Amino acid sequence: MQQRVIISQDIEHDLAQAIAETEHDRVFVLTDDITQECCLPKVAVLLTKHNATTITIHHDDTNKTLATLADVWTALQRGGATRHSLLVNLGGGMVTDLGGFAAATFKRGIHFINIPTTLLAMVDAAVGGKTGINFGGLKNEVGAFANARYVIVNTCFLDTLDTANLCSGYAEMLKHSLISNAQMWAEHVNFDILQPDLAELQRMVAASIAVKERIVADDPHEHGIRKALNFGHTVGHALEEFSMQQSGGAVVSTAPTKPTEQTPTGALLHGYAVAFGLIGELYISARKAGFPTARLHQTARFIRENYGAVAFTCDDYPTLLNLMRHDKKNTADTINFTLLHDIGDIRINQTATDEEIREALDFIREGY
């Protein structure tokens, strides 16, 4: 089933239409404790009309676990959900990932609608049919491909976000421009994400989603070109998992306010890790695939100015390399990358030596 993405101007109207066009005997809505307070009120009247049952889980990625998934299954079961029920996932990427997986597996699959409430979820997690949970200390280790019936994207929810979470989502938009075209990339590296024009951002979000939709439509199960969407993520996921191990799961909640400031101590938000991963994989792209160094440095400068710096040392390289070897895209012990010859000129299924990866890590720490 192909999902339909709605770029919404009226969230209540568009959700009402989506529910009406989706088979359902009962409606459930999944939120976390933050989106229940900040975002649910924007659609509460409509959901009350449908007598929707609210399921609330704890926020942040440390709760994207098998135990939380089981809690959602239990709540659906106790609420009388059947194979004809509908789950509305209202929240950030953790909610849409876990809620999508819960829907894909409960009764062997029920319909679900994603309403992403963070920029990261709008341009990445909620679109494309990937669902899952973290397992064994690794991100998204267990999951399934399953399309939401609808994804409703409305930037009215972005007024609930702090700067750090806006920046986190924007990193995925920057990735989309790097794998798409130079005009979009130039627009992204010249946008003021620290003081954004939300009307302009909505237009950019729609364009960014279109990049992902086009790639996913060509390769829904990631056998080929969809691997382009992993650009920045081999290094980025390793940095994210490393930061979670070092911090015990306490997530960064504030953004840097000046170019020289280091990202605050704690687990990196996903988009921050991707931003630093983009720097590393652009470096490898320049080293091995001929990516223009001027564009490498301009992109790295933008990230430095808006995301600060990431804390790790050369003593951490063996741990980071080991984390990269656990990446789902790998074959045996070979670390696979998506690299770029230029903006929009993609090279999938590329490899790099440990020494080249160490050089990239050096560049993230010191070279830009």
Side-chain angles (χ1 to χ4, degrees):
M1 179 186 68
Q2 193 169 21
Q3 67 183 8
R4 181 181 170 195
V5 178
I6 300 172
I7 306 299
S8 170
Q9 302 297 327
D10 183 336
I11 185 62
E12 285 199 320
H13 172 272
D14 293 327
L15 177 57
Q17 183 174 348
I19 292 175
E21 294 179 1
T22 304
E23 178 190 15
H24 63 277
D25 55 4
R26 293 182 177 87
V27 178
F28 295 79
V29 57
L30 178 67
T31 69
D32 64 34
D33 44 11
I34 293 178
T35 54
Q36 181 183 31
E37 178 181 350
C38 298
C39 302
L40 186 59
K42 295 179 186 288
V43 291
V45 172
L46 174 65
L47 291 170
T48 299
K49 287 181 181 178
H50 286 278
N51 197 28
T53 299
T54 300
I55 304 169
T56 302
I57 58 179
H58 293 296
H59 71 280
D60 91 42
D61 210 62
T62 59
N63 292 297
K64 200 166 92 174
T65 63
L66 186 59
T68 305
L69 178 66
D71 288 342
V72 175
W73 284 332
T74 299
L76 289 169
Q77 192 175 61
R78 288 177 177 169
T82 73
R83 292 185 69 181
H84 305 284
S85 296
L86 170 65
L87 179 63
V88 177
N89 298 315
L90 177 71
M94 189 274 278
V95 169
T96 60
D97 277 359
L98 188 145
F101 190 35
T105 49
F106 186 78
K107 304 284 188 183
R108 296 194 179 97
I110 63 174
H111 286 309
F112 65 101
I113 293 169
N114 284 339
I115 307 178
T117 60
T118 66
L119 184 56
L120 180 62
M122 289 175 187
V123 299
D124 184 44
V127 179
K130 282 187 176 180
T131 71
I133 59 170
N134 304 334
F135 185 76
L138 298 174
K139 279 188 63 66
N140 302 321
E141 182 76 350
V142 179
F145 288 99
N147 279 331
R149 186 73 174 80
Y150 290 91
V151 180
I152 305 174
V153 177
N154 191 308
T155 53
C156 70
F157 295 107
L158 296 185
D159 63 9
T160 68
L161 288 188
D162 58 20
T163 300
N165 279 286
L166 277 173
C167 286
S168 184
Y170 196 77
E172 292 283 358
M173 294 177 64
L174 181 58
K175 176 202 72 179
H176 287 157
S177 70
L178 283 163
I179 64 175
S180 182
N181 66 77
Q183 182 179 348
M184 181 183 286
W185 167 80
E187 182 178 48
H188 284 184
V189 295
N190 287 291
F191 185 73
D192 186 356
I193 189 57
L194 298 182
Q195 294 182 303
D197 177 334
L198 289 182
E200 181 69 5
L201 186 60
Q202 170 134 336
R203 180 190 63 78
M204 294 166 67
V205 165
S208 189
I209 290 170
V211 172
K212 182 166 186 178
E213 281 193 293
R214 185 168 61 250
I215 291 173
V216 170
D218 288 343
D219 180 21
H221 294 112
E222 203 173 89
H223 298 306
I225 193 60
R226 182 167 178 161
K227 294 176 184 178
L229 295 171
N230 293 316
F231 185 62
H233 284 61
T234 299
V235 174
H237 276 161
L239 290 170
E240 185 176 7
E241 289 157 9
F242 173 76
S243 71
M244 290 179 71
Q245 291 173 8
Q246 295 298 108
S247 69
V251 178
V252 170
S253 58
T254 56
T257 56
K258 53 188 178 182
T260 57
E261 184 176 340
Q262 181 169 293
T263 299
T265 301
L268 292 170
L269 289 170
H270 173 73
Y272 277 66
V274 168
F276 300 128
L278 291 174
I279 294 171
E281 294 181 31
L282 283 173
Y283 176 88
I284 297 171
S285 294
R287 177 92 152 70
K288 295 182 66 70
F291 188 84
T293 56
R295 287 176 166 175
L296 161 64
H297 286 283
Q298 188 173 351
T299 307
R301 228 176 5 253
F302 175 85
I303 292 168
R304 173 77 172 185
E305 289 170 357
N306 291 283
Y307 295 80
V310 59
F312 64 94
T313 72
C314 56
D315 291 337
D316 300 316
Y317 290 5
T319 300
L320 290 166
L321 284 163
N322 187 54
L323 287 168
M324 289 180 215
R325 289 190 180 95
H326 285 283
D327 193 281
K328 294 182 293 299
K329 300 179 295 298
N330 294 340
T331 303
D333 289 329
T334 302
I335 300 173
N336 289 328
F337 291 91
T338 292
L339 300 179
L340 301 179
H341 173 65
D342 204 342
I343 293 171
D345 192 344
I346 300 159
R347 304 284 193 269
I348 64 171
N349 299 327
Q350 303 296 299
T351 62
T353 66
D354 284 4
E355 183 56 35
E356 289 164 340
I357 297 170
R358 288 190 187 97
E359 288 179 15
L361 295 172
D362 285 341
F363 186 72
I364 295 170
R365 289 174 53 233
E366 303 167 354
Y368 71 105

